[in-house]
């Protein structure tokens, strides 16, 4: 399926024109040539840094179409600027025989150094479905680990400079996934899924969302709002993974807390709708469902650990009780 452009986007219009001119200059060219041309154009495009990764899928696709038209030759999608490091992807999967092929087909469109599927606790043909893809490493574990532990295991076994994390039940267009790879390759230690555009106003948000916002705010990262390592897709640099510790990835709020405390560069770089497409299961439906309780418990654990190290008021240690109450009530 072709990636749909936003016709009203100024940056996409500029990219389409720039791609056309670049393609005409170079004539017959490869995808690698187009990728290098895109990287050069992005460096001088004037796209604000805080917007770059959000607009990148549309801008890159517009540039690709313009380049192909100018060079009068086919350039396969998606188009990414050159990556400096090697990229790995970890896919956690349990009973995903129906969806894992779609997930892997999109991942195979990207320049991954390795694709690792951590298949655990399945009772269907997930293992066979993943093994059917050439070049995909499948780690088979009979016991159910859960997504978080599976991601931690996969990260430990991966070898890339950048690691993208996915779930086996959520196919995501390769164009959107490219934002996470490019962001991590360009210095973002932890590249998060920006779920804020998908959420209702605060009064209608659920307890899990409020826990995410509260933890970020207590750690002085109000700008992250409810964005969290609890949501996929997200990407991390190898340096960040080693700094946080692979074992800590099994509790995403703890990993996020450590990333913030260590001063790592954390940004929400792209919006992927994982809320409406999240597979409905008995464990994640209804109020106080087991998944919600687990996530809330993880946040309480992360907050408790941090308070032991930084004190009960965290970064608000010097704030008066009156001011602390005012800030608390504004949440």
């Amino acid at each position: 399926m072709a990636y749909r452009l936003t016709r009203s986007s100024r940056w996409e219009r500029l990219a389409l024109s720039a791609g056309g001119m670049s393609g005409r200059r170079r004539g017959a060219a490869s995808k690698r040539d187009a990728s290098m041309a895109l990287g050069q154009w992005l460096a001088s495009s004037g796209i604000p840094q805080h917007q770059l990764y959000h607009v990148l899928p549309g801008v890159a696709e517009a540039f690709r179409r313009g380049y192909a038209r100018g060079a009068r030759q086919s350039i396969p999608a998606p188009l990414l600027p050159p990556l400096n490091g090697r990229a790995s992807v970890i896919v956690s999967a349990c009973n995903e025989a129906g969806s894992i092929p779609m997930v892997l087909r999109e991942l195979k469109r990207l320049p991954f150094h390795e694709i690792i599927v951590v298949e655990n606790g399945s009772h269907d043909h997930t293992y066979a479905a993943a093994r059917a893809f050439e070049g995909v490493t499948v780690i088979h574990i009979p016991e159910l680990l859960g997504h978080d532990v599976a991601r931690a295991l996969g990260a430990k076994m991966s070898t890339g400079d950048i690691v993208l994390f996915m779930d086996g039940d959520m196919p995501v267009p390769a164009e959107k996934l490219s934002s996470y790879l490019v962001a991590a390759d360009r210095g973002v230690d932890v590249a998060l899924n920006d779920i804020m555009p998908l959420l209702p106003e605060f009064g209608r948000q659920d307890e899990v969302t409020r826990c995410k916002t509260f933890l970020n705010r207590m750690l002085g990262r109000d700008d992250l709002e409810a964005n969290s390592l609890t949501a996929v897709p997200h990407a991390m640099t190898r340096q960040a993974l080693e700094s946080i510790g692979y074992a800590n990835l099994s509790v995403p709020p703890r990993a996020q807390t450590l990333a913030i405390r260590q001063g790592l560069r954390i940004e929400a770089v792209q919006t992927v709708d994982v809320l409406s497409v999240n597979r409905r299961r008995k464990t994640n439906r209804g109020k106080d469902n087991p998944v919600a309780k687990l996530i809330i418990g993880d946040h309480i654990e992360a907050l408790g650990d941090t308070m032991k190290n930084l004190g009960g008021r965290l970064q608000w240690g010097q704030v008066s009780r009156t001011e602390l109450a005012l800030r608390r009530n504004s949440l």
Side-chain angles (χ1 to χ4, degrees), residues 21-36:
M21 289 189 291
S22 183
R24 285 191 293 273
R25 273 199 312 269
R26 299 190 180 218
S30 65
K31 184 173 182 177
R32 181 175 180 274
D33 294 323
S35 173
M36 293 178 63

Side-chain angles (χ1 to χ4, degrees), residues 13-122:
R13 292 196 300 270
L14 290 173
L16 185 67
S17 175
M21 289 189 291
S22 183
R24 285 191 293 273
R25 273 199 312 269
R26 299 190 180 218
S30 65
K31 184 173 182 177
R32 181 175 180 274
D33 294 323
S35 173
M36 293 178 63
L38 172 61
Q40 292 167 2
W41 180 76
L42 287 173
S44 60
S45 66
I47 301 175
Q49 187 64 35
H50 69 278
Q51 292 184 21
L52 176 60
Y53 306 122
H54 282 84
V55 304
L56 181 61
V59 164
E61 174 60 12
F63 190 94
R64 183 194 69 83
R65 294 185 190 183
Y67 193 99
R69 190 180 306 162
R72 296 184 178 181
Q73 134 175 10
S74 175
I75 302 293
L79 186 65
L80 281 72
L83 298 177
N84 296 309
R86 299 183 304 173
S88 303
V89 58
I90 310 301
V91 183
S92 172
C94 173
N95 294 325
E96 316 292 3
S99 57
I100 194 73
M102 294 182 286
V103 172
L104 293 176
R105 276 195 289 270
E106 287 300 312
L107 294 177
K108 293 288 280 186
R109 296 173 63 208
L110 292 166
F112 283 110
H113 157 65
E114 61 188 358
I115 298 175
I116 299 174
V117 175
V118 184
E119 181 268 324
N120 62 103
S122 296

Side-chain angles (χ1 to χ4, degrees), residues 17-330:
S17 175
M21 289 189 291
S22 183
R24 285 191 293 273
R25 273 199 312 269
R26 299 190 180 218
S30 65
K31 184 173 182 177
R32 181 175 180 274
D33 294 323
S35 173
M36 293 178 63
L38 172 61
Q40 292 167 2
W41 180 76
L42 287 173
S44 60
S45 66
I47 301 175
Q49 187 64 35
H50 69 278
Q51 292 184 21
L52 176 60
Y53 306 122
H54 282 84
V55 304
L56 181 61
V59 164
E61 174 60 12
F63 190 94
R64 183 194 69 83
R65 294 185 190 183
Y67 193 99
R69 190 180 306 162
R72 296 184 178 181
Q73 134 175 10
S74 175
I75 302 293
L79 186 65
L80 281 72
L83 298 177
N84 296 309
R86 299 183 304 173
S88 303
V89 58
I90 310 301
V91 183
S92 172
C94 173
N95 294 325
E96 316 292 3
S99 57
I100 194 73
M102 294 182 286
V103 172
L104 293 176
R105 276 195 289 270
E106 287 300 312
L107 294 177
K108 293 288 280 186
R109 296 173 63 208
L110 292 166
F112 283 110
H113 157 65
E114 61 188 358
I115 298 175
I116 299 174
V117 175
V118 184
E119 181 268 324
N120 62 103
S122 296
H123 301 294
D124 65 358
H125 302 294
T126 300
Y127 177 80
R131 286 282 294 161
F133 283 78
E134 183 179 356
V136 173
T137 300
V138 183
I139 301 172
H140 169 68
I141 301 171
E143 296 80 17
L144 178 62
L145 300 180
H147 286 309
D148 300 329
V149 175
R151 291 187 203 117
L153 175 62
K156 178 67 173 177
M157 299 187 69
S158 66
T159 59
D161 306 295
I162 305 161
V163 181
L164 175 72
F165 296 90
M166 297 279 297
D167 285 348
D169 61 346
M170 296 181 189
V172 179
E175 288 82 358
K176 285 212 165 190
L177 293 176
S178 66
S179 291
Y180 298 91
L181 300 183
V182 175
D185 192 62
R186 295 189 173 196
V188 177
D189 296 301
V190 180
L192 299 175
N193 184 1
D194 185 7
I195 65 170
M196 294 311 298
L198 310 173
L199 297 176
E201 61 187 11
F202 182 80
R204 295 170 50 224
Q205 292 175 5
D206 59 23
E207 293 86 352
V208 169
T209 301
R210 291 176 181 175
C211 280
K212 295 175 182 178
T213 302
F214 184 79
L215 182 61
N216 286 332
R217 178 166 286 193
M218 292 301 99
L219 293 168
R221 288 301 305 268
D222 300 51
D223 59 300
L224 293 177
E225 300 182 275
N227 293 317
S228 166
L229 282 169
T230 301
V232 291
H234 57 258
M236 304 176 73
T237 62
R238 178 64 57 184
Q239 180 180 0
L241 290 169
E242 293 179 349
S243 177
I244 291 169
Y246 296 101
N248 289 318
L249 298 179
S250 62
V251 183
R254 179 192 294 160
Q256 179 141 338
T257 297
L258 291 170
I260 293 173
R261 289 177 55 193
Q262 292 172 14
L264 300 182
R265 183 178 169 188
I266 309 170
E267 296 183 18
V269 302
Q270 180 58 248
T271 299
V272 172
D273 185 357
V274 295
L275 302 184
S276 64
V277 300
N278 191 14
R279 182 175 166 187
R280 304 291 287 175
R281 310 171 191 262
K282 291 181 180 179
T283 55
N284 67 3
R285 288 185 291 179
K287 186 177 178 59
D288 297 328
N289 63 74
V291 171
K293 288 183 177 180
L294 173 64
I295 296 174
I296 291 171
D298 286 348
H299 280 78
I300 292 173
E301 178 183 339
L303 189 61
D305 289 345
T306 306
M307 291 171 70
K308 288 179 182 177
N309 289 288
L310 301 182
R313 292 193 178 188
L314 300 179
Q315 91 280 6
W316 289 353
Q318 303 303 316
V319 176
S320 68
R321 286 182 176 273
T322 301
E323 180 65 18
L324 185 63
L326 289 172
R327 295 190 187 184
R328 179 196 62 215
N329 294 337
S330 69

